[in-house]
Amino acid sequence: MDVVDLARIADENSQTQNLELRLVAQVSGQLYARTTSRFPEALPLDLPVNIYSIQNQQQLVAVRTLRLGGPEMSLTVVADTGTLGRANNAFQQAFWLLLPITLLLALMAGWTVSGRLLAPVRQLEEAAREVGESGDLRRPLPLTGQGDELGLLARALQGTFGQLAQAREREQDFARAAAHDLRSPLAALTARVQGSLSQPRSAERYREDLQEIGTDLERLSALTTHLLLLSRDPGSVSKQPLALRPLAADAVDRARELDELADVDLEILPSGRDIQVMGDPVLLGQAVWNLVMNATRYGGGSPVLVQVEGRAEPAGPQAQITVSDEGPGVTPEVLAQLGQAFYRPDASRQGQASGGGHGLGLALARRAAEVHGGELQLSSTPGEGFVARLVLPALAELPAVDTPAAPAEPA
């Protein structure tokens, strides 16, 4: 095989064009070699089969044995690795040159992106800090209209601030109410005590003074109870399955005990026989009692009817306690303001008041209804009586109540 043949074999494939070949054959103990034109002359003919690296010339040498049926031959292939080395050096130079630039660009991009992402967070943080410094818990927060996670966080903060504002307003209302309505009874009580002690009196006169002082103390106790119930946080109300019939019956019995001449009747409609709600017995009991007392106090001595019933509504079953009288009623202007704390009409039903009130009875009933997810409905026509209806969500399933149904009872 001549040089031309080896060169043609190397040039037939683009991947082997840069290879230098040498074919060595041993015939009769003599070594005969054929090489390509640029094959290194310094390589011995009897190189063992292996792979060698020529460092100074950046060449890789591979020796293999060929068995083609004739004399034993060895093929030596020399590959120039200088191109790979130069490419590797160029790559390393480019890498170390571009690495700082890439890191700088990545840092700038990260700073820009993080700044844009954190800008809404900083905006929300600044708004929350301003709310805390100003004390205006109802100030609108930014980002509440967005639908992402930051929007959810902003709406959660807005709701939390709103609940805190409500709690603070209840505390402020309670403090103002206590200062407003406790001042007069306390002043009257102090005056009675000082008057009793100012000069010697008979035992009968002392007894009368003590009775008047006891009346003032009862009014103070009732007022304090109303104020405390009005200031209760809805989250602190302990609710349990509660039958409304015993609450109404207890309110009617108490009204009859206070005034033997009071014409107060209780009527349990068939739909209200076993009606129950999830409620606080103390709060709802006081609300029903206030409605009954409002009717007996301002109804002009007319009959008072307390009804308990259940109604099926599209939104779900409802329980209702209705307290109605046949008294003078109120005008639409007065009716629109009833249920507001400390509102007491100057006329219309006020003249029939026995002992006066603090303007908190209907306010407490309305507050109790709201806390329990219901409402207090008031209706009246001058000269045709007054109707107060406490509407509450009823339990879907009504467990049986052990107490038998109470029919309408005459006074």
Side-chain angles (χ1 to χ4, degrees):
M1 182 177 295
D2 54 19
V3 176
V4 177
D5 293 333
L6 291 177
R8 188 177 70 251
I9 292 174
D11 293 340
E12 285 180 354
N13 193 320
S14 60
Q15 297 180 353
T16 61
Q17 288 178 353
N18 295 325
L19 300 180
E20 299 297 329
L21 306 179
R22 182 179 68 182
L23 189 60
V24 178
Q26 185 175 7
V27 180
S28 300
Q30 296 292 328
L31 295 177
Y32 299 92
R34 294 292 186 267
T35 64
T36 54
S37 59
R38 293 186 300 276
F39 190 88
E41 298 180 355
L43 289 179
L45 296 177
D46 55 352
L47 281 175
V49 174
N50 206 337
I51 297 178
Y52 306 92
S53 176
I54 305 176
Q55 299 294 337
N56 58 346
Q57 298 182 10
Q58 294 183 345
Q59 291 177 328
L60 188 66
V61 180
V63 181
R64 291 291 183 266
T65 299
L66 299 180
R67 301 183 183 277
L68 303 176
E72 182 176 346
M73 293 181 293
S74 64
L75 177 64
T76 303
V77 180
V78 177
D80 185 6
T81 60
T83 303
L84 295 177
R86 289 188 295 272
N88 182 49
N89 293 334
F91 174 78
Q92 290 183 3
Q93 293 177 358
F95 174 79
W96 293 112
L97 177 63
L98 295 177
L99 180 60
I101 300 176
T102 304
L103 291 177
L104 181 59
L105 292 176
L107 181 61
M108 295 175 60
W111 182 270
T112 303
V113 173
S114 62
R116 292 182 178 179
L117 293 178
L118 293 178
V121 178
R122 288 194 293 268
Q123 183 182 4
L124 186 59
E125 177 189 3
E126 181 66 23
R129 183 168 56 251
E130 291 177 356
V131 168
E133 294 174 352
S134 64
D136 182 9
L137 297 176
R138 297 193 180 277
R139 173 185 294 186
L141 294 179
L143 310 177
T144 54
Q146 296 186 3
D148 54 7
E149 289 76 5
L150 285 177
L152 294 175
L153 176 59
R155 287 190 291 273
L157 287 175
Q158 189 80 75
T160 301
F161 289 159
Q163 293 176 358
L164 292 175
Q166 292 177 0
R168 187 176 66 179
E169 290 168 358
R170 282 194 299 270
E171 292 178 356
Q172 293 175 347
D173 291 342
F174 175 75
R176 286 193 295 265
H180 177 273
D181 258 41
L182 289 177
R183 183 183 299 112
S184 297
L186 286 175
L189 182 60
T190 302
R192 291 186 191 277
V193 173
Q194 291 176 349
S196 298
L197 298 177
S198 62
Q199 57 185 352
R201 297 173 182 266
S202 65
E204 182 65 25
R205 184 61 184 273
Y206 277 125
R207 184 178 295 106
E208 293 176 357
D209 289 344
L210 288 176
Q211 289 177 349
E212 293 178 354
I213 291 173
T215 301
D216 290 338
L217 290 176
E218 290 178 357
R219 293 183 61 195
L220 280 174
S221 176
L223 173 60
T224 303
T225 300
H226 287 154
L227 291 175
L228 290 174
L229 291 175
L230 278 174
S231 65
R232 292 183 66 175
D233 187 352
S236 66
V237 174
S238 176
K239 297 181 181 180
Q240 62 188 41
L242 183 65
L244 292 185
R245 182 175 58 184
L247 294 182
D250 180 69
V252 171
D253 291 341
R254 291 171 60 189
R256 290 172 176 172
E257 292 173 358
L258 289 177
D259 185 359
E260 295 180 354
L261 299 179
D263 187 2
V264 183
D265 290 335
L266 173 64
E267 182 180 12
I268 307 296
L269 300 181
S271 60
R273 179 174 302 172
D274 298 324
I275 198 74
Q276 290 191 349
V277 299
M278 287 296 295
D280 185 311
V282 176
L283 191 56
L284 287 181
Q286 187 66 37
V288 176
W289 165 246
N290 287 350
L291 296 181
V292 175
M293 286 303 299
N294 183 78
T296 58
R297 177 176 294 166
Y298 302 111
S302 65
V304 176
L305 178 61
V306 180
Q307 292 178 314
V308 179
E309 63 178 319
R311 298 177 64 90
E313 300 292 342
Q318 290 183 348
Q320 297 183 4
I321 295 182
T322 304
V323 181
S324 59
D325 64 66
E326 300 176 4
V330 296
T331 63
E333 293 76 12
V334 173
L335 183 65
Q337 300 183 70
L338 288 178
Q340 301 177 9
F342 303 108
Y343 173 72
R344 287 171 287 189
D346 296 330
S348 180
R349 293 167 66 89
Q350 185 66 17
Q352 291 77 19
S354 57
H358 303 283
L360 293 176
L362 293 179
L364 174 63
R366 172 162 291 172
R367 174 65 176 164
E370 294 173 352
V371 168
H372 289 82
E375 61 177 338
L376 177 65
Q377 301 174 354
L378 304 177
S379 60
S380 179
T381 301
E384 299 183 8
F386 187 88
V387 178
R389 182 175 290 107
L390 184 63
V391 182
L392 302 170
L395 294 179
E397 297 181 3
L398 306 177
V401 180
D402 296 336
T403 306
E409 301 175 4

